[in-house]
Amino acid sequence: VLFIFKRTDHSALGNHARFPGNPWPLGRDKIWVLNQIDPRVNRLAEAGDLAGALGLVGSFLPRYFTLNGLSGVDAAHDEQTVPRGRVGQPLLLRALNAGLATHSLHIHGNHVFTTAEIVSANHEVRVLNNIIEEDTWSMPPLMRRDLLLPFTKPPEIPDAAWPPRQEKFPLLYPMHCHNEISQTSAGGSYPLGLVTDWVIEGPL
């Protein structure tokens, strides 16, 4: 897996009103590997019939969906998967879709910023210059993206109600897929399937 965040000016996020607090430090990242399972394909592959498994690619019908090999509550409680931090501590998500189905990922509580991506056709790294906030982002098969999760105050919370006084830190927000197949198929009934949490642990 090739990871593609190459920025060397790590102070850029620490001296702007949009990103108060600390700059992005090397190593503050999480890897998200998305996968889908069609039991028919798996049975053939396990039996050593790779030709038969490849023959089913055109009719691929995933029934189970994983994030880093886990689903649902297991992914939401996995420390290797769940982004954690304080307000003003941005984190880099390195996402890879290792399967054959397209996902449309959505994070509650913050928007993300795609900084770079690789599409499967030519494996060319595309570092983005026009970076915008994204509520939901597409992950076609073999797509790789680097996304910045800013850990800012959630925009739906009014300034007068921040920091929160009734709902105490830590604040937990879900990430799930907006492609309904990954939430409702077989073993993927929400809140199972391709979901996890991310956690704002408190003020900086």
Side-chain angles (χ1 to χ4, degrees):
V1 177
L2 173 63
F3 295 119
I4 50 185
F5 190 78
K6 296 184 176 180
R7 189 179 186 95
T8 55
D9 181 10
H10 305 301
S11 65
L13 299 177
N15 53 18
H16 190 279
R18 184 66 178 82
F19 299 102
N22 292 336
W24 176 79
L26 285 169
R28 182 160 164 72
D29 54 13
K30 291 289 183 183
I31 297 171
W32 282 358
V33 179
L34 321 176
N35 201 6
Q36 313 92 39
I37 300 164
D38 181 338
R40 303 172 308 152
V41 175
N42 281 47
R43 281 193 293 269
L44 291 172
E46 287 172 358
D49 185 1
L50 298 183
L54 290 173
L56 291 177
V57 167
S59 62
F60 182 70
L61 183 61
R63 306 293 285 166
Y64 306 99
F65 302 85
T66 65
L67 177 63
N68 293 346
L70 303 170
S71 289
V73 67
D74 293 325
H77 290 88
D78 179 55
E79 291 303 315
Q80 299 301 313
T81 300
V82 175
R84 291 180 174 276
R86 295 182 175 272
V87 174
Q89 293 182 329
L91 179 139
L92 192 67
L93 291 171
R94 302 179 183 275
L96 162 67
N97 185 358
L100 296 173
T102 295
H103 288 294
S104 185
L105 301 186
H106 169 68
I107 281 187
H108 288 234
N110 267 193
H111 294 153
V112 297
F113 301 81
T114 298
T115 61
E117 60 186 20
I118 295 178
V119 295
S120 60
N122 55 15
H123 303 287
E124 179 181 346
V125 176
R126 188 164 73 99
V127 178
L128 304 184
N129 294 317
N130 184 24
I131 298 176
I132 60 172
E133 293 187 71
E134 297 178 78
D135 177 71
T136 304
W137 70 96
S138 178
M139 292 292 295
L142 301 185
M143 169 64 82
R144 286 164 278 179
R145 288 185 189 271
D146 277 355
L147 306 114
L148 190 77
L149 178 57
F151 277 80
T152 56
K153 177 185 76 69
E156 68 272 13
I157 299 178
D159 290 341
W162 185 262
R165 291 177 289 277
Q166 293 180 332
E167 184 177 353
K168 303 296 185 181
F169 289 112
L171 304 179
L172 277 68
Y173 290 93
M175 184 287 295
H176 63 104
C177 178
H178 272 198
N179 185 344
E180 290 302 319
I181 189 174
S182 70
Q183 303 302 311
T184 58
S185 288
S189 296
Y190 192 83
L192 301 173
L194 181 60
V195 297
T196 191
D197 286 335
W198 72 282
V199 182
I200 300 178
E201 296 178 325
L204 188 66

